[in-house]
Amino acid sequence: MKKIRIAIVGAGETGTPLLRQLLDASFVDVVGVADLSDEQPGMVLARGRDIRTTHDFMDFARQGDAIDIVIDVTGVTKVRDALRHHYQESGNTHTIIMHELIAVLLMSLSQGRLVGTKHGQVDYR
Ligand SMILES: NC(=O)c1ccc[n+]([C@@H]2O[C@H](COP(=O)([O-])OP(=O)(O)OC[C@H]3O[C@@H](n4cnc5c(N)ncnc54)[C@H](O)[C@@H]3O)[C@@H](O)[C@H]2O)c1
């Protein structure tokens, strides 16, 4: 079976543990990680594992349906809007944009408890 091809936008507090889990999954192909800063932990982790990094998340949009899921964990409305707009304009009905609540849900399921947020709603370790 084909691996699930995934890109991550936002290599901070939410993106990094998620990236770590995805890198450990044999059925996932992490095609790239985007962040504005090379120093963010997920960017460092990606480089260490020879995963492509970029400052331009639209690189992933331009790859069209070669990417199955773009995980947007920036928390930045403009990023989400730009991705949605591109997929609509280009007629890409394949690629899914996955947002941070789903990321938190998946991490919580794998840990058996709700992993929280530095923004004060729930406790994150
Ligand atoms: N940290 C948590 O535990 C947690 C839990 C639940 C929900 N969330 C939500 O997840 C989202 C992200 O939170 P976080 O704590 O990971 O924040 P964070 O600041 O640690 O990470 C966000 C990253 O996105 C990057 N970014 C911003 N604009 C970008 C752009 N244009 N292109 C590429 N990268 C860009 C930033 O450089 C940063 O590294 C927020 O919406 C937050 O509310 C976070």
Side-chain angles (χ1 to χ4, degrees):
M1 225 179 116
K2 260 177 61 178
K3 290 186 180 186
I4 305 171
R5 291 172 57 83
I6 298 179
I8 299 188
V9 186
E13 208 162 316
T14 310
T16 303
L18 192 60
L19 172 63
R20 197 167 287 120
Q21 286 192 309
L22 292 170
L23 288 171
D24 286 345
S26 60
F27 48 87
V28 169
D29 182 8
V30 179
V31 297
V33 176
D35 201 287
L36 299 176
S37 163
D38 285 328
E39 306 314 314
Q40 283 295 74
M43 293 289 266
V44 175
L45 175 62
R47 284 198 301 277
R49 299 280 289 264
D50 288 330
I51 303 294
R52 190 173 154 258
T53 58
T54 177
H55 297 156
D56 179 10
F57 66 92
M58 289 302 286
D59 275 359
F60 303 140
R62 288 187 285 268
Q63 290 183 45
D65 61 12
I67 295 180
D68 300 309
I69 302 172
V70 173
I71 301 176
D72 169 21
V73 278
T74 59
V76 176
T77 311
K78 255 175 30 186
V79 170
R80 185 81 38 90
D81 287 348
L83 287 169
R84 282 187 179 141
H85 184 72
H86 183 93
Y87 289 137
Q88 270 167 11
E89 288 292 302
S90 63
N92 179 351
T93 54
H94 174 82
T95 308
I96 291 166
I97 303 168
M98 183 181 121
H99 65 68
E100 57 280 330
L101 186 56
I102 307 291
V104 169
L105 171 66
L106 293 181
M107 290 193 295
S108 299
L109 284 172
S110 72
Q111 293 192 27
R113 66 180 178 88
L114 183 61
V115 298
T117 163
K118 67 178 181 187
H119 310 285
Q121 290 149 2
V122 262
D123 169 45
Y124 181 71
R125 277 170 254 250

